[in-house]
Structure formats: C-alpha cells, structure tokens
C-alpha cells in the first residue's frame, strides 16, 4: 500500500496524542457550530435544501484550496487517488445529513433542532464501540456513560416539552427527518476518523468538500434550483458564503483535529454544549423561547456534557496501515 506523507501535518499515529489541542479544537468547533441552524433557517427563505447545501459546500471547497496549495508547495503534501477513494464512503452519510438537517428546519426552530441533534452522541458511541477498539476505554468510563445518558435525557426533554407537541404541532415526518440527519452525522463522524488522521485535517476536508459538492451537484439539478444565487440577492449570497467558510470549512478542520486528538466519541459528546449558544442566538434573532421544563432539560443536558468532558482519552497506537 502506498504511504501518504502526512507526518508534517499531523502527529505521527504511532506517537502520543495531544489532548490540550483536541480540547481547544473541540471548544472552538462548539462555538462555531452553535450557529449553522440559524444560518440555514434564514437561508431556507431563499434557497431550497439542495441548492443551499451545494453552494455552501462549493464555497467551502474553494475556500480550502489556498491552504491545500500552501501545503503542497511548502510542506510536501500530495493528494493521490487512494486518498480520494478512502474519503468517498464518509461523504455519503455527510450528503444525507446536510440535506436532511436543512429540511428539518421547516418543522422545528433552529434552537430546538440544535438540541435534538445532540442525541447523535448515543449513535456515535455505539458506532465507535464497533469500529474503534481504542475508543472503548472512553465509552466504559462511568462519567461518559452517565454524562451521555443525562445529555440524551435533556435533549429529548427539550423536544418533549416544546409547546404544541401534544397537539401535533411537530409533524412525525419532521422528527423522522431530524432523526435521519442525526444518525447520518454520527455515522459521518465515525467513518471520517481514520481518513482524517491519515491525511491530516486540511487534505481530508479538501477532499471531502470536493466529493460532497460533486455528489450534491446532480441532486441540485434534479430536485433543486441551480440558478438560485442569481435571484437571491447579494446580501443573502454573502450570508451563505460566511456560513460556508465558518461553519463548514473552519469548523470541519477543527473538528478533524478534535477527533484525532481526543477521539470521536468524546468530541461528539462535548458537542452537547452547542445548544446553549444556539438557543441564546435563536431567542435573540428569531424570538424562539424555551418553556420552564425545557430550561430544566437543557440544564440536565449541560451537566451531562460536563461529565462526558471528564473522561480521559489515551494515546492512539494503531498504525496508519490499519486504515
């Protein structure tokens, strides 16, 4: 198997990880990923889900190109067909996640959706248990188990106590779409771990953004409106660009660093903190409010995130050849 020289970009997989870098990356990601649903909720007024995701990922792909060129010229990085092939599989659930998360915002508000999607930690934990033996020490720790349980309980409580739930305000298709988006996000996080560790965060996301854009293009032609940017207006298009560069390019690179250094299960669990920022921003911008029961549920969610944060990652010792 041809070896990819990523030693200049990432820590050698045979060496130790750097938890401090992982925590810094994951908290930066949390800050940024408190905003995507707000951007998408706004863009839904002008872009259909297919066109919105295609153009956001196209912008993300273009924005990562300068970093790729710099790495190729000054750090000896390269991209091979094998590197492209190992990234194709993770891109499939990523495409489903991107489209379904935008669709879900037609049924629920951005704050409530952000909280609901934190249930991805249970899927991530189970998938990591199956795929990555090195993650099992984290999942076995009582802090992780209790924290994940509390986080899930809080996330479901926020949805359960939403006004209009019992009267059928939230349609079953909306919940199914949100559930699909959540599961696919967890699957993507698990499948991208080894490619991102082997290729490095810049190269792996450059490839992922290109493949995802390529997959979304025919879907946009078939189901969306490819000419939307011509009619949306400069302000709307500018917001789309800002959301793509920050929430996709920058956040994904940081997320890849996080899952490499502290593990995919722990990185996903700490994403339980995102709803706090999302709810505050959504209340300010869109007037979305939580009931008292939802506030208590959100508090339980945050306690669970704190407990999950107390788990201790260990060094990843598996070799790159095991990809």
């Amino acid at each position: 198997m041809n070896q990819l020289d990523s030693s200049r970009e990432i820590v050698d997989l045979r060496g130790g990880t750097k938890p401090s870098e992982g925590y810094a990356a994951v908290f930066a990601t949390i800050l940024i990923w408190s905003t995507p649903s707000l951007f998408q909720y706004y863009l839904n007024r002008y872009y259909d889900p297919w066109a919105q995701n295609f153009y956001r990922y196209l912008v993300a792909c273009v924005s990562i190109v300068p970093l790729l060129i710099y790495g190729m010229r000054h750090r000896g990085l390269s991209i091979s067909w094998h590197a492209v092939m190992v990234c194709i599989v993770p891109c499939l659930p990523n495409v489903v996640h991107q489209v379904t998360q935008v669709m879900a915002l037609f049924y629920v508000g951005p704050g409530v959706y952000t909280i609901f999607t934190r249930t991805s930690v249970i899927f991530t934990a189970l998938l990591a248990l199956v795929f990555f033996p090195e993650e099992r020490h984290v999942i076995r720790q009582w802090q992780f188990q209790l924290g994940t349980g509390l986080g899930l309980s809080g996330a479901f409580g926020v949805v359960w106590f939403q006004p209009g739930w019992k009267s059928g305000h939230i349609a079953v298709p909306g919940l199914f779409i949100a559930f699909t988006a959540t599961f696919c996000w967890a699957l993507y996080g698990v499948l991208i771990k080894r490619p991102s560790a082997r290729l490095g965060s810049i190269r792996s996301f450059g490839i992922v953004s290109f493949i995802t854009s390529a997959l979304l293009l025919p879907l946009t032609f078939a189901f969306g409106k490819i000419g939307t940017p011509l009619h949306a207006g400069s302000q709307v298009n500018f917001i789309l660009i800002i959301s793509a560069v920050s929430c996709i390019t920058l956040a994904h690179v940081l997320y890849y660093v996080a899952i490499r250094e502290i593990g995919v299960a722990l990185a996903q669990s700490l994403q339980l903190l995102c709803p706090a920022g999302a709810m505050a921003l959504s209340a300010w911008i869109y007037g979305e409010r939580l009931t008292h029961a939802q506030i208590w549920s959100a508090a339980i969610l945050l306690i669970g995130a704190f407990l999950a944060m107390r788990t201790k990652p260990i060094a990843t010792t598996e070799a790159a050849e095991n990809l």
Side-chain angles (χ1 to χ4, degrees), residues 156-188:
F156 278 112
V158 170
V159 177
W160 178 260
F161 295 114
Q162 180 174 344
W165 169 270
K166 294 182 179 179
S167 62
H169 176 69
I170 302 177
V172 173
L175 288 176
F176 176 76
I177 293 172
F179 176 87
T180 302
T182 301
F183 178 80
C184 288
W185 173 246
L187 183 59
Y188 166 68

Side-chain angles (χ1 to χ4, degrees), residues 198-254:
R198 179 167 185 162
L199 300 172
S201 57
I202 302 299
R203 279 188 297 178
S204 56
F205 180 71
I207 296 172
V208 165
S209 62
F210 174 79
I211 296 174
T212 302
S213 301
L215 293 174
L216 284 167
L217 179 58
L219 295 174
T220 303
F221 273 113
F223 305 108
K225 298 179 181 178
I226 197 69
T228 301
L230 300 176
H231 310 288
S234 58
Q235 177 178 328
V236 174
N237 291 332
F238 177 73
I239 291 176
L240 183 143
I241 291 171
I242 294 298
S243 70
V245 174
S246 61
C247 301
I248 300 180
T249 303
L250 180 59
H252 272 78
V253 171
L254 290 170

Side-chain angles (χ1 to χ4, degrees), residues 60 67 97 110 113 130 160 233 255 286:
L67 294 176
H97 163 71
Y113 172 75
V130 173
W160 178 260
Y255 182 62
Y286 299 117

Side-chain angles (χ1 to χ4, degrees), residues 13 31 67 71 76 90 119 122 128 140 193 217 223 226 235 252 257 266 282 292 297:
L13 288 175
L31 179 64
L67 294 176
T119 57
I122 188 64
R140 292 192 186 105
K193 179 186 176 181
L217 179 58
F223 305 108
I226 197 69
Q235 177 178 328
H252 272 78
V257 173
L266 183 54
S282 184
H292 291 295
S297 298

Side-chain angles (χ1 to χ4, degrees), residues 37-38 41 104-105 107-119 154-163 165 169-170 175 178 182 274-276 278-280 282-283 288-291 294 301:
S37 61
L38 283 82
Y41 187 79
L105 291 171
Y107 297 90
V108 297
V112 170
Y113 172 75
T114 303
I115 294 174
F116 182 81
T117 57
R118 295 311 102 198
T119 57
F156 278 112
V158 170
V159 177
W160 178 260
F161 295 114
Q162 180 174 344
W165 169 270
H169 176 69
I170 302 177
L175 288 176
T182 301
C274 287
M279 282 304 311
S282 184
E288 187 179 12
R289 295 289 187 270
L290 292 179
T291 64
Q294 287 177 303
L301 185 154

